[in-house]
Amino acid sequence: MKIIKQALPALFLATCASVSGCAQVAPWERGNLAKPHMALDPYPLQSAFRAHIYGSREAASGSGSAEGGGCGCY
């Protein structure tokens, strides 16, 4: 019984490692993974624009051109 309790964590780790989700992707299936909606940031231009607006409104973009006053005004 003691051996089973000691072997159980090792068996659990081996099972987790064997079903980890790594898989071979065929070349003709890679196009599906390269679609824009599969990206971490599917709209990079919109995200950059929003970050610029946020930085301007919060006056968080550092020393430079005219930033907002931090009050949410333009």
Side-chain angles (χ1 to χ4, degrees):
M1 193 61 145
K2 196 175 203 183
I3 294 174
I4 294 174
K5 286 184 179 180
Q6 291 176 349
L8 192 59
L11 181 64
F12 177 72
L13 289 174
T15 303
C16 288
S18 65
V19 295
S20 64
C22 296
Q24 294 288 332
V25 178
W28 58 87
E29 294 175 336
R30 292 182 185 153
N32 294 331
L33 297 174
K35 290 185 178 178
H37 64 271
M38 294 292 290
L40 293 175
D41 188 7
Y43 305 107
L45 293 176
Q46 183 179 12
S47 298
F49 179 70
R50 287 186 180 184
H52 172 72
I53 295 298
Y54 179 78
S56 296
R57 287 187 177 184
E58 295 296 323
S61 59
S63 61
S65 63
E67 288 98 7
C71 60
C73 52
Y74 292 105

